[in-house]
Amino acid sequence: MSDDIKKGGSFLVEEATPESIFVPENFSSEQLMYAKTARDFIENEVIEKNDEIEEKNFEVSKALMAKAGELGLLMADVPEEYGGMGLDKASSALITESMSGQGSFSVIYGAHVGIATLPIVYYGTEEQKEKYLPGLADGTKIGAYCLTETGAGSDALAARTKAVLSEDGKYYILNGSKQFITNGGLAFSYIVFAKIDGEKFTAFILDRDTEGLKIGPEEHKMGIRGSSTTTVILEDAKVPVENVLGEVGQGHKIAFNVLNIGRFKLGAGSVGANKVCMQSALEYAMERKQFGKPISDFGMIREKLAEMYVRTYAAESAVYRTVGMIDTLALSAETSQAKINSIEEYSIECAIVKVLASEALDFVTDEYVQILGGYGFCSEYAAEKNYRDARINRIFEGTNEVNRLLIPAMLLRKGMKGELPLFQAATALQEELMGIPSFDLDEDLDLLAAEKKIVANLKKICLFVAGVAAQKFGTNLADQQMVLSRLADIAIKAYAAESTLVRALKDAANRGEEGAALPLAVARIYCENAIADCEKYAREALAGIEEGDALATMLAALRRLMRRTPANTLAARETIAAKLIQMERIVY
Amino acid sequence: MKILVPVRRVPNPDIKVRLKSDGSGVDTEGVNFLVNPFDEYAIEEAVQIVEKSGGEVVLVSIGTADCEETLRAGLALGALRGWLVETSEVLDSAAIADVLAAVYKEESPDLVITGKQSVDTDNNQAAQMLAAKLDLPQACFAFKVELGDGKATVEREIDGGLDVKEITLPAVITADLRLNQPRYAALPQIMKAKRKEVKKVSLGDLGVEAKSATKILGLSQPPARAAGQIVGSVEELVDKLVNDAKVL
């Protein structure tokens, strides 16, 4: 691996530098043009059709998808030889971000270009690619992905859908029922997971007109009501053997690897939705007058605007840092197998980004409603719909709970396999914490020096708690979900804080401290919030693991990692709010 | 048919214009720049003509190196190649017309189509001046253009109605909003535009001096509008106009 290539999960033991991370400020002018086309398309064509989309008028949505296809908006991840553009993941993520604004359509689009198209891109045979990809890339044929079943949601491998080879060996006969299938009602091709002979978990490609494939009724949902969500029923569905996708018995690899991509794309989409909501909230706050002045004059509203901005910036920084790492590694990959592996390498980061961004989206849409007050609660205003549409993001592409479990589990596995020097780092840390404290009180006067130290300490807190938990529970740690969720939260905050901090420093190096005033303010707020939150997570976890003197010793060690003078985050929030209000729009 | 389309790089018109604190110019901090929207109509019209009856669309933009982005955006809409006349000076309409005339002489197009005005300075002069300098017929504010044999029939919007002009080619036409519906830049076209030819030249290369005869002395925001009042009767209105506003 070259120097530029980072190992997945290595953020916990390595320091990121401004040169080493990809930030949105690095986008090329072509990439920004892709984004503009996507945004213009959503604003002028999709939002225009909002009511028809929400009434589940699928002909309208299909026509919009075909138009998106004409514009090349579905081509990013499909290789050129199959009618796509074969763009890097940074472009793909930016296009996904810019396709936000109409939640139902974003989901139709997201499922199509992601989980419905990518399995064929990465695992399809030459014939399968030639048959399916051109239609998926130009939007004439919409795709769906069928994994979930009644009894197999988060526990996807518990699927009961069964495939049996026909006597003549030409077909698999599939029986079972899939549910919550996005695009179920409008798709042409379905990626279906089933167990051959009830054992070998395998992916298949089914056409809409497959004998024995039936589409159930539409679900009535809290949000994204204009998207199609149905059951897909397989009653002796006859699937030609050449429609087996990937290897027999290897379906889980397809299912999970594709989800990794789905996760960073979901992160990018959430960031896009956040930006739309923030702009609208800002405009409303400046227009709405109470007590004789705009409510944007009031401190609590200003704080909300600032905090929405902080969380969006942090999520955005983490999303594009992750995507940048994937692209760097994928550059060295020749085969589609190697390319999908480059995404798998960063499955920890993909899980982090999914949780971080979907929760930032819930925060932002919630505060958006709150800023609008009673109007925010009325369906006449977009905030109400945005609030409902946001909620699914914490559930699909792996619930946030499943993703939280994956983060420490994957980290520990990498540590155990020796892929990451986590245990060495944890041991060194224990020695440091048990040794004599140094009294070098914040003599580092560099920009954001205190925040750099916070980021370093966040990582140490994560390693420290992980080390204590691993020692105490050994292999039984997997059963300690309440400890694991706290470990995950600390890892998420550490990754997000570092991504934010390094991006802000990179920006300041280009634009100067004054030019990058907002990113610097964001970094101060995010880091201070992160360490305050992590103190709580760590204390709770430690108190749940140890007691008595052992606990007291650990808490003393923890306090050493918490030592700091808190930044003036109220002033930093005011800096952000004042600038946004002065500019009347979301600027960076 | 060869069509020359002058395009201008302008600040995003959807962003509220703010002035620098000393009033010396527009504050462009955090502002993104786009192809002048009226010029997009001009590009679209030119591309449609060429798609129908063959030929090429050539763009020209005048300004700093950043204008290459503007040109690439226009090339992504279907133009074939572009000229970038690099200068850091701010040119007035007459100086712009001088530069465009020089490019015109290099290219000898059959037609020049450009936006009726640029949305930053809103002068609405350069195209007319270009036609005058080249002694070409002109038809401004077109909402419909039909090409015939060596001539163009242009329907134009004027105050109080429509005006139809028949002009011989070569000629200068400016585009109004209802001329067509500009397309979106499709992603594969954006990728292709990256490789299209952009010829970079200086004013000296073209042999033009392009001295601006006008100078901007200062800029100021329009005064904020005072809050209105709702009156209950005609009598009250008259009273307020006489006694408060003192306009009657």
Side-chain angles (χ1 to χ4, degrees):
Chain A
M1 283 193 182
S2 89
D3 284 354
D4 299 341
I5 296 174
K6 299 267 171 223
K7 283 201 161 182
S10 66
F11 70 91
L12 266 188
V13 286
E14 283 174 29
E15 198 180 326
T17 58
E19 305 76 50
S20 71
I21 73 162
F22 182 82
V23 296
E25 290 73 31
N26 287 151
F27 281 125
S28 69
S29 57
E30 287 85 46
Q31 287 173 320
L32 295 175
M33 276 197 255
Y34 301 154
K36 181 177 184 299
T37 296
R39 244 186 347 262
D40 288 350
F41 173 70
I42 293 291
E43 277 172 24
N44 303 332
E45 310 284 330
V46 178
I47 305 272
E48 184 90 341
K49 298 264 163 50
N50 179 67
D51 294 352
E52 288 154 279
I53 296 172
E54 290 305 290
E55 284 160 12
K56 291 195 174 66
N57 184 339
F58 294 141
E59 291 313 310
V60 167
S61 298
K62 278 190 198 172
L64 287 170
M65 283 294 284
K67 179 131 200 208
E70 265 174 48
L71 293 175
L73 292 166
L74 314 176
M75 291 182 180
D77 294 291
V78 177
E80 281 181 273
E81 54 270 41
Y82 306 107
M85 292 177 71
L87 298 177
D88 55 15
K89 295 294 171 234
S91 302
S92 165
L94 180 62
I95 294 165
T96 299
E97 178 191 321
S98 309
M99 290 293 276
S100 320
Q102 211 290 339
S104 301
F105 187 78
S106 300
V107 168
I108 295 171
Y109 158 83
H112 173 84
V113 296
I115 52 183
T117 299
L118 297 169
I120 303 176
V121 169
Y122 290 112
Y123 296 96
T125 61
E126 199 55 41
E127 292 72 31
Q128 290 168 344
K129 288 179 186 178
E130 274 169 19
K131 181 173 175 195
Y132 291 100
L133 292 180
L136 289 162
D138 70 16
T140 50
K141 290 174 180 168
I142 293 175
Y145 173 90
C146 316
L147 179 62
T148 299
E149 297 179 12
T150 322
S154 293
D155 187 7
L157 298 182
R160 293 176 58 188
T161 298
K162 216 170 148 180
V164 179
L165 192 62
S166 65
E167 278 178 16
D168 60 7
K170 288 184 178 163
Y171 294 92
Y172 280 99
I173 308 299
L174 269 62
N175 277 289
S177 180
K178 297 287 176 180
Q179 73 168 357
F180 300 153
I181 305 310
T182 301
N183 291 348
L186 34 91
F188 173 84
S189 61
Y190 299 79
I191 309 289
V192 175
F193 292 88
K195 285 181 176 163
I196 294 178
D197 302 331
E199 283 172 12
K200 287 166 258 172
F201 195 64
T202 305
F204 299 85
I205 311 173
L206 272 65
D207 293 346
R208 174 65 172 255
D209 58 8
T210 301
E211 201 186 312
L213 180 147
K214 285 186 202 136
I215 306 303
E218 289 289 338
E219 301 287 348
H220 299 286
K221 308 187 293 281
M222 172 194 279
I224 54 165
R225 288 181 182 162
S227 70
S228 168
T229 309
T230 67
T231 48
V232 170
I233 301 148
L234 304 159
E235 285 173 358
D236 290 331
K238 261 177 95 178
V239 185
V241 287
E242 56 268 25
N243 278 28
V244 168
L245 181 61
E247 288 171 43
V248 167
Q250 299 293 308
H252 59 285
K253 282 197 181 161
I254 301 178
F256 296 143
N257 280 340
V258 163
L259 282 176
N260 283 327
I261 306 182
R263 284 172 189 154
F264 76 69
K265 284 204 179 193
L266 183 148
S270 299
V271 167
N274 270 358
K275 290 180 181 176
V276 174
C277 293
M278 274 199 294
Q279 179 64 36
S280 176
L282 174 66
E283 284 168 15
Y284 181 87
M286 295 181 65
E287 203 180 292
R288 170 73 176 165
K289 288 201 174 91
Q290 285 292 277
F291 307 102
K293 50 185 180 179
I295 60 170
S296 60
D297 279 8
F298 296 108
M300 281 196 205
I301 300 292
R302 292 167 92 83
E303 176 156 17
K304 286 185 197 304
L305 293 170
E307 196 60 26
M308 290 159 93
Y309 184 88
V310 168
R311 295 196 195 197
T312 303
Y313 185 95
E316 185 186 42
S317 309
V319 167
Y320 288 105
R321 176 186 179 188
T322 304
V323 171
M325 291 192 295
I326 293 170
D327 278 334
T328 308
L329 181 55
L331 267 185
S332 65
E334 296 285 332
T335 62
S336 55
Q337 187 58 46
K339 284 195 196 303
I340 188 80
N341 288 346
S342 62
I343 296 165
E344 190 185 2
E345 175 68 25
Y346 303 107
S347 44
I348 296 169
E349 286 82 356
C350 289
I352 288 178
V353 153
K354 195 270 173 178
V355 174
L356 179 73
S358 62
E359 292 181 3
L361 176 61
D362 265 2
F363 177 84
V364 167
T365 51
D366 185 82
E367 290 291 44
Y368 177 25
V369 169
Q370 193 68 17
I371 287 172
L372 266 67
Y375 295 107
F377 200 67
C378 293
S379 306
E380 198 187 332
Y381 287 76
E384 182 262 355
K385 177 171 151 34
N386 281 296
Y387 179 82
R388 288 186 289 103
D389 288 350
R391 190 60 182 83
I392 187 62
N393 288 286
R394 277 165 54 202
I395 300 170
F396 61 18
E397 308 282 353
T399 63
N400 283 17
E401 289 68 29
V402 163
N403 276 289
R404 279 192 161 87
L405 289 177
L406 286 172
I407 295 163
M410 291 188 289
L411 276 168
L412 290 169
R413 196 184 316 142
K414 282 190 173 231
M416 252 136 36
K417 279 189 179 169
E419 289 174 22
L420 281 179
L422 293 181
F423 296 108
Q424 296 85 319
T427 311
L429 177 64
Q430 279 195 348
E431 280 168 23
E432 178 195 325
L433 291 174
M434 298 306 158
I436 298 161
S438 68
F439 289 95
D440 52 341
L441 274 169
D442 303 334
E443 73 243 355
D444 187 352
L445 296 175
D446 283 353
L447 187 59
L448 297 184
E451 285 71 22
K452 283 184 197 162
K453 197 168 165 195
I454 287 177
V455 167
N457 283 345
L458 285 169
K459 298 179 186 183
K460 288 180 182 175
I461 294 166
C462 191
L463 287 170
F464 177 55
V465 178
V468 170
Q471 268 173 7
K472 176 79 176 181
F473 299 113
T475 49
N476 295 328
L477 180 55
D479 300 327
Q480 300 292 323
Q481 292 204 350
M482 294 192 219
V483 173
L484 291 173
S485 84
R486 283 164 178 78
L487 273 174
D489 280 326
I490 300 169
I492 292 168
K493 299 272 179 188
Y495 187 68
E498 183 172 57
S499 307
T500 303
L501 170 81
V502 178
R503 177 179 171 196
L505 286 171
K506 192 168 183 166
D507 200 356
N510 287 329
R511 289 198 288 167
E513 280 186 49
E514 204 180 319
L518 294 199
L520 293 171
V522 169
R524 291 189 177 104
I525 296 165
Y526 197 86
C527 289
E528 175 55 34
N529 284 357
I531 195 139
D533 290 343
C534 288
E535 176 166 24
K536 177 170 173 286
Y537 305 145
R539 286 171 65 89
E540 282 179 348
L542 292 172
I545 298 168
E546 287 291 356
E547 56 187 7
D549 288 349
L551 176 61
T553 314
M554 283 170 190
L555 292 177
L558 181 66
R559 274 196 295 278
R560 285 171 63 173
L561 297 173
M562 294 293 166
R563 193 164 56 96
R564 72 197 187 281
T565 309
N568 184 351
T569 57
L570 301 193
R573 287 186 176 98
E574 177 54 29
T575 301
I576 295 170
K579 183 78 177 182
L580 299 184
I581 290 162
Q582 181 206 350
M583 302 297 280
E584 300 181 27
R585 63 199 161 85
I586 306 303
V587 291
Y588 289 90
Chain B
M1 171 171 285
K2 187 197 275 187
I3 306 174
L4 182 68
V5 181
V7 294
R8 186 165 163 104
R9 175 181 162 85
V10 297
N12 182 349
D14 294 335
I15 292 176
K16 193 174 169 190
V17 177
R18 301 176 63 255
L19 296 179
K20 289 181 186 161
S21 49
D22 62 359
S24 65
V26 173
D27 185 358
T28 55
E29 185 201 334
V31 173
N32 62 324
F33 287 77
L34 304 171
V35 176
N36 175 39
F38 287 110
D39 296 342
E40 282 193 339
Y41 291 87
I43 297 171
E44 180 64 32
E45 194 65 17
V47 169
Q48 283 186 17
I49 291 169
V50 165
E51 279 174 349
K52 213 161 102 188
S53 43
E56 61 170 335
V57 178
V58 181
L59 305 180
V60 50
S61 191
I62 308 166
T64 58
D66 294 333
C67 291
E68 186 175 340
E69 261 177 36
T70 314
L71 285 168
R72 300 270 173 218
L75 293 170
L77 297 172
L80 188 71
R81 57 192 173 85
W83 286 74
L84 169 54
V85 184
E86 275 190 84
T87 174
S88 54
E89 283 186 48
V90 180
L91 305 181
D92 67 8
S93 302
I96 288 168
D98 281 337
V99 179
L100 294 179
V103 175
Y104 178 92
K105 282 171 190 157
E106 298 277 335
E107 286 285 350
S108 306
D110 303 294
L111 182 61
V112 178
I113 309 182
T114 189
K116 71 168 180 177
Q117 65 202 66
S118 66
V119 298
D120 50 358
T121 54
D122 280 327
N123 284 337
N124 188 356
Q125 290 176 335
Q128 293 88 329
M129 289 175 166
L130 173 67
K133 281 179 203 284
L134 295 169
D135 203 18
L136 293 178
Q138 55 171 295
C140 299
F141 324 134
F143 83 95
K144 192 170 179 193
V145 175
E146 265 181 63
L147 293 180
D149 191 19
K151 59 185 190 350
T153 309
V154 180
E155 293 183 34
R156 33 194 307 270
E157 294 181 1
I158 55 172
D159 289 344
L162 296 178
D163 174 45
V164 184
K165 268 197 162 57
E166 190 178 283
I167 51 177
T168 53
L169 300 183
V172 176
I173 295 174
T174 71
D176 211 330
L177 288 179
R178 277 158 290 275
L179 181 57
N180 53 45
Q181 182 57 54
R183 68 193 68 189
Y184 300 100
L187 272 53
Q189 296 301 322
I190 294 172
M191 204 183 219
K192 274 185 203 146
K194 205 165 110 180
R195 294 189 289 270
K196 288 182 178 172
E197 181 199 347
V198 170
K199 189 169 181 179
K200 293 176 192 171
V201 294
S202 66
L203 294 175
D205 295 336
L206 288 171
V208 285
E209 249 194 272
K211 280 272 168 270
S212 294
T214 60
K215 199 170 138 191
I216 294 170
L217 298 177
L219 295 165
S220 59
Q221 297 275 9
R225 243 179 72 181
Q229 294 174 33
I230 294 172
V231 291
S233 65
V234 175
E235 288 74 26
E236 194 189 341
L237 174 65
V238 171
D239 174 66
K240 284 196 183 293
L241 290 174
V242 171
N243 297 316
D244 295 355
K246 298 193 190 344
V247 291
L248 287 184

